[in-house]
Amino acid sequence: MTKDKPITQLNTDRFSRNISYLRVSVTDRCNLRCFYCVPEEGLPFLGHKDVLSYEEITAIVQAGVRHGIQKVRITGGEPLVRKGIEELVASISALPEIKDLAMTTNGVRLASMAHDLKKAGLHRVNVSLDSMKPEVFEKITGRNHCQEVKEGIEAALDAGLTPVKINVVAVAGVNDSEFADFAKLTMDKPVSVRFIEYMPIGKNMHWAEDRSISSREIREIIEKQLGPMTPVTEHGPLDGPARRFSLPGAQGEIGFINAISGHFCSTCNRLRLTADGKVRPCLFSDKEIDVRSVLRSGGGPSDLDAVFAQAIAQKPRGLDSAKSEKPGCDRSMSSIGG
């Protein structure tokens, strides 16, 4: 068995992964009720005092920066339902060490906010859109906002929040007839459509193995209708876990995130901050470090630094070790941060 390597840098964990990415959840509330995220009985929401303030989030991000964080993604719940989100964007974008500031949104409110977000310093957005058919969209999300999301994507392109990534959770028997239609979007628009394998995260009462469809199968469906795709071999600082391809003559790209069939734990470079102030070293484990109590008990920069050092030191090797350490997860995806 290979021994864990000692930590030699502030942002290097026991397995020589450079931890440079922090996902920041700003709220557990959402204006959609996607069946793979919200259980039938609904969810209890955090109280106002339980949620980190923008000032607290900024202080935590600054501590992350001191430990090598260069990329921040603002998430929820749905981040655009939190009042004054542009203020947080401006505070984080003012940190010179942050090279990439992105947001994941369901896009419902994006059309009216895209230009203000860009002006505040947001670099780019990922928009969740699991169906382009209004009736299927409503079946998945419980709401009739398909057109608003499409308008939000157009507004993001117009505002320059690029590259715009469209996240599609692939669910067999629900949206699998639309995979080729999503892929076609990359022909006419400079977007990256990313197919994400449906996975059992958190209190997902609706997850069933027969609804899961692998990236390989998704690719086969697309190529059967549109022809072979070419792997994208160019890499850059914005690369994530997606395996990237393109159709001949396309303006955009198609990505596959193998959340189930091919974990990317060996290259995972991220930590997560929940809306109620817990730092999570791994999505698949319930192990958390309470940074909110550190802040609210008067802790200073050195105390916040200690939280990040602990989180980096506790980051597990992979999915199996994460589950064995503390199986779970007990939270819903909206409370963890999508």
Side-chain angles (χ1 to χ4, degrees):
M1 180 180 294
T2 303
K3 292 184 178 180
D4 299 346
K5 295 183 179 180
I7 298 174
T8 57
Q9 302 177 36
L10 286 175
N11 68 326
T12 302
D13 72 2
R14 296 170 293 163
F15 311 107
S16 298
R17 295 173 297 198
N18 292 326
I19 311 305
S20 58
Y21 179 12
L22 180 65
R23 296 178 68 97
V24 177
S25 173
V26 297
T27 181
D28 63 334
R29 297 173 186 264
C30 186
N31 46 5
L32 298 180
R33 293 180 61 83
C34 298
F35 70 77
Y36 53 74
C37 186
V38 180
E40 288 182 0
E41 66 273 17
L43 294 168
F45 292 121
L46 294 169
H48 178 73
K49 292 182 180 179
D50 297 323
V51 177
L52 293 172
S53 69
Y54 290 155
E55 292 78 10
E56 289 172 328
I57 292 173
T58 301
I60 294 168
V61 172
Q62 287 174 323
V65 163
R66 293 192 292 272
H67 283 263
I69 295 297
Q70 296 182 321
K71 175 179 178 179
V72 171
R73 176 173 297 281
I74 299 172
T75 71
E78 169 48 41
L80 296 186
V81 303
R82 182 158 176 185
K83 186 177 180 180
I85 190 66
E86 299 91 345
E87 299 171 18
L88 179 64
V89 170
S91 295
I92 297 176
S93 68
L95 302 175
E97 297 88 352
I98 299 300
K99 307 303 181 186
D100 181 34
L101 178 56
M103 178 182 288
T104 294
T105 171
N106 62 31
V108 173
R109 295 189 175 185
L110 186 56
S112 63
M113 300 177 70
H115 286 270
D116 288 339
L117 290 167
K118 180 67 175 181
K119 187 181 299 185
L122 190 68
H123 296 154
R124 59 194 181 90
V125 290
N126 287 23
V127 182
S128 299
L129 178 62
D130 297 331
S131 176
M132 293 184 287
K133 298 177 180 179
E135 67 278 8
V136 179
F137 181 95
E138 187 169 1
K139 177 181 178 181
I140 294 171
T141 68
R143 299 290 184 270
N144 183 19
H145 293 311
C146 187
Q147 184 58 34
E148 289 97 319
V149 178
K150 292 178 181 178
E151 291 171 359
I153 291 171
E154 293 297 333
L157 289 168
D158 184 65
L161 291 170
T162 53
V164 174
K165 295 182 179 180
I166 300 173
N167 291 345
V168 184
V169 176
V171 187
V174 178
N175 61 355
D176 45 0
S177 66
E178 297 184 68
F179 294 163
D181 292 332
F182 272 109
K184 287 178 184 176
L185 291 178
T186 67
M187 298 300 298
D188 302 322
K189 300 179 186 295
V191 297
S192 173
V193 174
R194 309 194 314 165
F195 295 96
I196 303 171
E197 291 180 346
Y198 181 45
M199 58 182 170
I201 290 293
K203 296 180 178 180
N204 190 344
M205 301 294 109
H206 293 275
W207 191 85
E209 190 173 355
D210 61 358
R211 283 192 167 183
S212 182
I213 182 168
S214 71
S215 291
R216 176 185 57 78
E217 293 171 294
I218 300 168
R219 181 180 172 186
E220 288 174 354
I221 291 170
I222 293 171
E223 292 191 321
K224 184 176 181 179
Q225 297 184 52
L226 303 180
M229 294 183 286
T230 302
V232 176
T233 56
E234 298 174 358
H235 297 284
L238 302 187
D239 281 356
R243 293 167 54 242
R244 299 155 56 208
F245 296 84
S246 64
L247 290 165
Q251 294 187 45
E253 296 180 356
I254 299 167
F256 300 96
I257 297 180
N258 304 343
I260 294 295
S261 64
H263 301 297
F264 43 86
C265 301
S266 64
T267 57
C268 182
N269 63 345
R270 66 193 64 182
L271 301 173
R272 291 172 182 266
L273 175 65
T274 66
D276 58 346
K278 308 297 191 301
V279 177
R280 294 177 67 101
C282 176
L283 173 63
F284 292 96
S285 169
D286 276 330
K287 183 174 287 185
E288 297 179 335
I289 303 162
D290 186 354
V291 68
R292 185 186 69 190
S293 63
V294 172
L295 269 174
R296 295 185 181 178
S297 62
S302 62
D303 300 297
L304 297 180
D305 288 347
V307 170
F308 272 89
Q310 184 180 354
I312 292 171
Q314 291 184 357
K315 194 165 174 63
R317 181 188 296 274
L319 178 61
D320 292 339
S321 56
K323 287 183 175 180
S324 65
E325 287 175 357
K326 192 173 183 184
C329 89
D330 292 336
R331 288 180 181 255
S332 67
M333 195 63 185
S334 62
S335 68
I336 299 170

